[in-house]
Amino acid sequence: MNLTLRIWRQTGPEDKGRMVTYPVPDVSPDMSFLEMLDVLNERLILDGEEPVAFDHDCREGICGACSLMINGEAHGPQRGTTACQLHMRQFSDGDTIDIEPWRARAFPVIKDLVVNRNAFDKIIAAGGYVTAPTGSAPEAHSTPVPKDDADAAFSSAACIGCGACVAACPNGSGMLFTAAKVTQLSLLPQGQPERYTRVIGMVDAHDEAGFGGCTNIGECTSACPKGIPLNTIGRLNRDYLKATTKRAGTPGS
Amino acid sequence: MDLYTEGDPIADTRAPDGPVETRWDRHRFEMKLVNPANRRKLTVIVVGTGLAGGSAAATLAEQGYHVKSYCYQDSPRRAHSIAAQGGINAAKNYRNDGDSVHRLFYDTVKGGDFRSRESNVHRLAEVSVNIIDQCVAQGVPFAREYGGLLDTRSFGGAQVQRTFYARGQTGQQLLLGAYQALERQIGLGNVEMNARHEMLELVVVDGRARGIVVRDMVTGEISTEMADAVVLASGGYGNVFYLSTNAKGCNVTASWRAHRKGAYFANPCYTQIHPTCIPVSGDHQSKLTLMSESLRNDGRVWVPKAKGDDRGPRDIPEDERDYYLERIYPSFGNLVPRDIASRAAKNVCDEGRGVGPTGLGVYLDFADAIDRLGRKAIEAKYGNLFEMYERITGEDPYEVPMRIYPAVHYTMGGLWVDYDLQSTVPGLFVIGEANFSDHGANRLGASALMQGLADGYFVLPSTLANYLAANPMEKVDASHPEAVAARTDVEDRITRLLAINGDRTVDSFHRELGQIMWEHCGMERSDAGLRKAIAEIRALREQFWQRVRVPGDGEGLNQSLEKAGRVADFFELAELMCVDALHREESCGGHFRAEYQTPDGEAQRDDDRFAYVAAWEYTGTGEPVLHKEDLTFEYVHPSQRSYK
């Protein structure tokens, strides 16, 4: 196939950035999307141009590094698929493809298609854990967990932290990411002691990092490569409401 | 042979003696401790944030040390442990199927083809049960039974069901558990996290590891970070083959720079070729994708009986199929260890019975399992893996058998460490895949996660304390001449790479190096092939330093520059791997020498000559020095491994 790419080029945070057009001939349908970019980059280097910077690592859809807006869709047209797992058989000869970075206030562009997603780590640091210092754990079978709860917790825990939800959201909200972790831990008995401080801490960190508010549009969940459901946000809201109405400093309230 | 010289054997591994099941406990008691008030005055650098590095950094910080953590990814959560699919072994014996610490120990020593240390492996098996407890307490959503208790499954090389799992994403869930513990410590100010930073040199002062030189991959700034000890948890070196199941960024640079500063590199030729990966589809291929070994629980591996049979798999009748693993290894069947399954696949393909467009593939067929258990049950167990397969190949594995072929997956070799996980450079500790210690010549499935977390959560925090308590040190800062020299080396190397401005890309060199290694130092090695490889590697390395083109400058984000530095180190490692493979005139585990096989084609070990760890010292003259650490077996007596 012969394709035309229009790629966002931006030399650094201060640069305004622009779309640049590159023809890419002889693309095999068995190539992954990133392999197609590799081919372009090889050519750019030999032509004396700077290759296009983009984040990627595992290339098997699990590390969450890749982060491309493809034709205006986070990770491109295939549902439940990260950009690295997207294959060129999803496109047709003669297509023009726009490739841009995630665009959100909380994810500033570093260079070309690479953005800074450090804000996600800050949300986790603000409560996305169970306090269980190494060595302090009881025997694993001392607390049975109903299978349905464990499975539901897993479904939320499957989040790869790529940020597609933020990129897809018209408000630039990181609520699906935040809710996925809140939901995982609030479904498990191990997560109960910190359940309400966790949700407050994480939502505060989310807001401080410059993410927008959630208005239940649902773009996030349809862009999510791991299919994190929208009702996790409902669960977060429920916990958040409960947490804010609990009387501060009153155990058991 | 003229490629290396032999030095003194390694006399002391610091492994305690006495009954094997008491060694770790006794050693822990005998080790010195650091009092909590003094811990906060001590700084520890941890490079890498995978299962080993993430768990170590979190645990050390919980104990009160000041920790500086580094990773090349944009977040510690993306370390490549995240991609481990199948599971984690632990000797819980929840199934009551005859498992025990001793059996896990036994299986691991045997699975490693009698090339690992008994003391280390026994400790690993002991600690395995604590890991599961720890991870459950963190909220890791392991698979569970309807009664709410943990589910387990079986894996290659074992006849018990001791593998705990979280669907096909066990590594992800375990890593996120460690990452969340780490983030908690970052939030508390106990860990200084430096993502998008790459370690490019080790700083050794007065014979002790005291710091590292790092490059900030966003700003290009080079800085020297000092500490009281350095922990490398920087993973394996499978990407020397270019195509592997490793993430694209995985590299040997941190380990190799330490090697050049005095840390011995042990058993570099022990590489694991995983039998179940999606076959290569073309020249553009940038990486290979694993299909979890757990699939071999229900999938049956076969090829046509006849050479060149090009009928579709569903058109080949049952009696014209060769379920070769079940035929050759009736007691383990499709669940033979990885090295054996990989070589068997290679053999049938070499016979001309491989399938798929390239002839380099075998079928992994779920038709029987779908008949027996129903499609829904298979979906629940392997749904995400089947989807991944379909996305990559465009074929539906519920309808058509998967095509699989072996690919480089894991490296058992790594920096040499003693029982305390300390390298030959005092104060430099190496954990996880980056060290060589526990898997011998072949790692069993679901044991990498176990080892990474055992090292990081439980072993290193004890042994590092002992080192710090026993060796009070003066503070040194980045102006020390050794630190300045290390930094200058880094800067000079970057300048040199940028100045070449040749006519070939870094990737083109890397790909070519990978082909040499796969051809001659892959699934089967030979004297002639390895000698040829060494000559080709040297010639190509010379070309690299004359013809590589690294565009841009060192001032900001420059992904070509990052790759160039890593590939330059892979070139040096590749040669050492070939020398190691050449000197080991036997076949064991993942190291198969064509000249040394039994009449029926199995690996032929030579315990009289080669029951040792080969630890290589860097000399700078090109000729490495071999130091042997003899292996003795008091509990698991070396035998010809048989899975028949």
Side-chain angles (χ1 to χ4, degrees):
Chain A
M1 312 190 270
N2 296 313
L3 301 170
T4 304
L5 304 182
R6 294 193 301 188
I7 302 179
W8 184 258
R9 301 303 307 259
Q10 182 174 341
T11 56
E14 308 307 319
D15 183 19
K16 246 182 81 185
R18 68 213 65 82
M19 297 297 277
V20 179
T21 302
Y22 301 97
V24 183
D26 296 329
V27 173
S28 151
D30 289 329
M31 279 181 186
S32 72
F33 198 84
L34 302 190
E35 284 167 349
M36 187 261 308
L37 289 180
D38 290 342
V39 169
L40 169 67
N41 275 343
E42 291 285 282
R43 199 189 76 211
L44 291 179
I45 293 169
L46 293 178
D47 289 351
E49 290 180 56
E50 279 244 4
V52 180
F54 62 95
D55 264 327
H56 65 99
D57 205 18
C58 79
R59 297 203 176 189
E60 49 188 274
I62 193 73
C63 76
C66 62
S67 42
L68 303 178
M69 213 58 181
I70 299 167
N71 285 338
E73 291 182 278
H75 290 305
Q78 197 179 8
R79 272 284 181 114
T81 304
T82 55
C84 66
Q85 292 274 283
L86 180 66
H87 279 66
M88 297 314 292
R89 64 180 77 91
Q90 303 292 329
F91 297 88
S92 313
D93 186 38
D95 279 358
T96 296
I97 305 173
D98 288 346
I99 310 174
E100 294 169 86
W102 286 169
R103 296 196 189 279
R105 188 152 60 114
F107 290 163
V109 172
I110 293 172
K111 182 177 180 179
D112 295 340
L113 305 171
V114 176
V115 300
N116 181 350
R117 285 169 287 187
N118 187 238
F120 269 4
D121 296 320
K122 289 192 176 141
I123 294 174
I124 298 296
Y129 48 75
V130 171
T131 298
T134 305
S136 58
E139 152 61 38
H141 269 177
S142 59
T143 311
V145 181
K147 182 173 167 48
D148 289 346
D149 290 352
D151 287 350
F154 178 89
S155 297
S156 295
C159 168
I160 57 173
C162 62
C165 48
V166 179
C169 176
N171 307 335
S173 174
M175 205 44 83
L176 191 69
F177 168 83
T178 310
K181 190 50 67 185
V182 166
T183 298
Q184 176 204 341
L185 298 177
S186 74
L187 280 166
L188 296 171
Q190 290 81 8
Q192 296 312 310
E194 293 163 294
R195 180 169 180 175
Y196 298 106
T197 50
R198 171 182 306 121
V199 68
I200 300 260
M202 291 179 73
V203 169
D204 284 354
H206 168 276
D207 295 349
E208 265 169 42
F211 292 103
C214 170
T215 49
N216 279 313
I217 296 167
E219 289 284 344
C220 51
T221 192
S222 65
C224 175
K226 299 297 156 184
I228 307 288
L230 194 60
N231 67 15
T232 54
I233 297 181
R235 193 175 269 279
L236 175 142
N237 286 336
R238 216 158 56 222
D239 275 8
Y240 188 76
L241 187 65
K242 247 186 169 169
T244 48
T245 53
K246 277 161 75 82
R247 262 182 299 160
T250 313
S253 71
Chain B
M1 203 163 47
D2 50 348
L3 291 162
Y4 69 95
T5 53
E6 194 172 330
D8 296 336
I10 294 174
D12 187 11
T13 64
R14 298 179 59 85
D17 49 16
V20 72
E21 60 277 3
T22 65
R23 287 177 194 170
W24 175 233
D25 264 351
R26 226 178 52 249
H27 192 62
R28 268 200 302 177
F29 178 71
E30 286 164 1
M31 283 190 293
K32 291 191 163 65
L33 302 171
V34 180
N35 127 19
N38 287 337
R39 291 179 201 158
R40 74 179 79 97
K41 299 179 205 155
L42 295 168
T43 300
V44 181
I45 284 173
V46 182
V47 181
T49 59
L51 287 176
S55 62
T59 303
L60 292 169
E62 285 164 7
Q63 293 179 345
Y65 298 100
H66 178 60
V67 177
K68 294 183 186 176
S69 170
Y70 298 84
C71 66
Y72 73 76
Q73 297 88 351
D74 71 323
S75 162
R77 67 177 290 149
R78 304 201 205 285
H80 194 54
S81 303
I82 199 121
Q85 297 170 355
I88 177 164
N89 289 327
K92 284 283 198 185
N93 194 29
Y94 285 157
R95 290 270 176 178
N96 195 24
D97 58 358
D99 200 11
S100 62
V101 166
H102 196 84
R103 187 174 296 280
L104 175 53
F105 159 67
Y106 175 90
D107 286 349
T108 307
V109 172
K110 177 186 171 195
D113 216 357
F114 307 97
R115 290 293 175 264
S116 51
R117 272 187 211 143
E118 283 190 336
S119 298
N120 283 60
V121 176
H122 200 279
R123 173 176 67 191
L124 178 65
E126 288 169 51
V127 166
S128 70
V129 297
N130 305 115
I131 295 171
I132 301 302
D133 298 342
Q134 182 61 34
C135 296
V136 166
Q138 290 170 341
V140 169
F142 282 117
R144 289 183 181 261
E145 304 272 15
Y146 281 101
L149 302 179
L150 294 163
D151 193 15
T152 53
R153 57 188 175 195
S154 49
F155 246 65
Q159 288 171 312
V160 293
Q161 284 182 269
R162 65 160 74 96
T163 305
F164 296 79
Y165 66 101
R167 266 178 240 177
Q169 284 144 262
T170 317
Q172 179 198 27
Q173 295 308 318
L174 296 176
L175 182 63
L176 292 180
Y179 156 76
Q180 287 160 204
L182 176 61
E183 284 296 338
R184 177 169 166 260
Q185 293 303 315
I186 295 168
L188 292 169
N190 300 330
V191 176
E192 180 193 305
M193 184 68 228
N194 300 280
R196 290 198 200 267
H197 277 67
E198 184 164 38
M199 167 180 161
L200 295 176
E201 199 54 85
L202 179 73
V203 179
V204 180
V205 176
D206 298 332
R208 296 184 182 280
R210 296 303 301 271
I212 59 175
V213 180
V214 292
R215 179 172 182 270
D216 179 330
M217 293 153 71
V218 174
T219 64
E221 190 193 342
I222 310 284
S223 60
T224 313
E225 306 291 335
M226 305 304 283
D228 295 284
V230 177
V231 179
L232 293 191
S234 46
Y237 49 87
N239 272 351
V240 68
F241 291 89
Y242 186 69
L243 288 181
S244 83
T245 65
N246 286 185
K248 292 295 286 176
C250 293
N251 66 84
V252 78
T253 290
S255 293
W256 193 256
R257 295 283 123 195
H259 175 56
R260 291 176 59 116
K261 283 283 171 79
Y264 293 178
F265 209 112
N267 300 333
C269 79
Y270 291 164
T271 40
Q272 178 161 82
I273 315 278
H274 197 293
T276 51
C277 299
I278 299 176
V280 173
S281 72
D283 295 337
H284 54 265
Q285 195 90 27
S286 64
K287 79 151 273 157
L288 295 169
T289 302
L290 178 76
M291 290 281 105
S292 169
E293 174 162 306
S294 61
L295 292 167
R296 287 198 275 144
N297 271 305
D298 288 303
R300 298 179 69 196
V301 176
W302 65 276
V303 290
K305 280 186 178 163
K307 276 184 200 179
D309 189 337
D310 55 5
R311 288 175 289 176
R314 289 284 168 259
D315 299 328
I316 300 179
E318 204 56 33
D319 62 352
E320 292 179 41
R321 301 175 177 190
D322 180 11
Y323 294 91
Y324 58 89
L325 289 177
E326 298 170 24
R327 173 172 59 80
I328 308 172
Y329 306 101
S331 65
F332 279 70
N334 293 297
L335 282 175
V336 291
R338 294 177 174 175
D339 52 339
I340 292 179
S342 291
R343 211 163 50 249
K346 177 182 191 299
N347 290 341
V348 295
C349 293
D350 287 352
E351 288 163 19
R353 299 195 286 146
V355 301
T358 59
L360 294 175
V362 301
Y363 290 125
L364 179 62
D365 196 340
F366 292 87
D368 282 1
I370 292 170
D371 278 352
R372 193 173 71 243
L373 305 167
R375 180 176 165 139
K376 265 191 102 170
I378 295 297
E379 256 176 32
K381 265 179 156 166
Y382 309 116
N384 61 325
L385 296 170
F386 277 41
E387 281 169 28
M388 178 145 82
Y389 182 84
E390 185 171 2
R391 270 197 295 273
I392 293 172
T393 63
E395 291 176 359
D396 176 4
Y398 293 103
E399 300 299 327
V400 194
M402 283 185 182
R403 282 176 297 112
I404 54 163
Y405 197 66
V408 173
H409 179 54
Y410 186 88
T411 50
M412 282 74 70
L415 292 180
W416 185 90
V417 288
D418 62 16
Y419 186 73
D420 288 344
L421 305 180
Q422 185 169 219
S423 72
T424 47
V425 176
L428 177 69
F429 290 76
V430 189
I431 58 177
E433 191 180 349
N435 75 24
F436 87 105
S437 72
D438 295 356
H439 306 297
N442 175 55
R443 178 176 66 73
L444 290 181
S447 284
L449 305 189
M450 171 172 69
Q451 184 227 335
L453 290 180
D455 287 0
Y457 281 135
F458 297 108
V459 181
L460 176 89
S462 301
T463 59
L464 183 66
N466 180 52
Y467 168 79
L468 292 168
N471 298 285
M473 283 169 278
E474 299 284 310
K475 294 280 167 199
V476 286
D477 66 29
S479 62
H480 189 282
E482 290 293 339
V484 173
R487 186 195 164 113
T488 309
D489 285 348
V490 168
E491 288 166 345
D492 289 350
R493 199 153 173 270
I494 289 173
T495 309
R496 192 172 156 210
L497 283 168
L498 289 166
I500 300 168
N501 199 23
D503 60 356
R504 283 187 62 176
T505 63
V506 178
D507 277 355
S508 80
F509 279 108
H510 194 177
R511 204 175 268 124
E512 196 174 333
L513 174 66
Q515 279 161 356
I516 296 171
M517 293 300 284
W518 180 244
E519 179 82 9
H520 299 297
C521 200
M523 267 189 285
E524 185 172 304
R525 295 114 184 233
S526 70
D527 187 282
L530 289 163
R531 287 180 192 278
K532 185 161 179 256
I534 291 169
E536 287 177 3
I537 292 164
R538 287 178 178 173
L540 190 64
R541 186 170 61 214
E542 206 163 297
Q543 290 286 302
F544 174 84
W545 284 103
Q546 287 167 9
R547 291 180 55 191
V548 75
R549 174 178 292 189
V550 183
D553 56 35
E555 301 303 304
L557 182 67
N558 184 340
Q559 293 173 325
S560 300
L561 176 63
E562 294 159 16
K563 283 196 275 194
R566 295 169 191 167
V567 172
D569 288 334
F570 277 137
F571 268 114
E572 296 183 14
L573 166 75
E575 185 174 331
L576 185 66
M577 287 171 72
C578 292
V579 170
D580 186 42
L582 186 60
H583 112 282
R584 191 168 279 280
E585 294 173 336
E586 64 161 354
S587 295
C588 58
H591 170 63
F592 191 82
R593 280 283 297 265
E595 305 94 323
Y596 308 99
Q597 47 185 308
T598 62
D600 51 355
E602 300 294 338
Q604 177 85 62
R605 283 199 330 267
D606 184 345
D607 292 332
D608 290 340
R609 291 177 62 212
F610 290 101
Y612 62 77
V613 174
W616 298 93
E617 181 187 358
Y618 182 84
T619 59
T621 59
E623 255 185 38
V625 177
L626 170 66
H627 300 274
K628 295 176 180 174
E629 177 203 328
D630 281 328
L631 294 169
T632 49
F633 295 90
E634 298 169 66
Y635 295 88
V636 188
H637 293 292
S639 55
Q640 163 87 35
R641 264 193 323 162
S642 173
Y643 292 94
K644 293 186 171 167

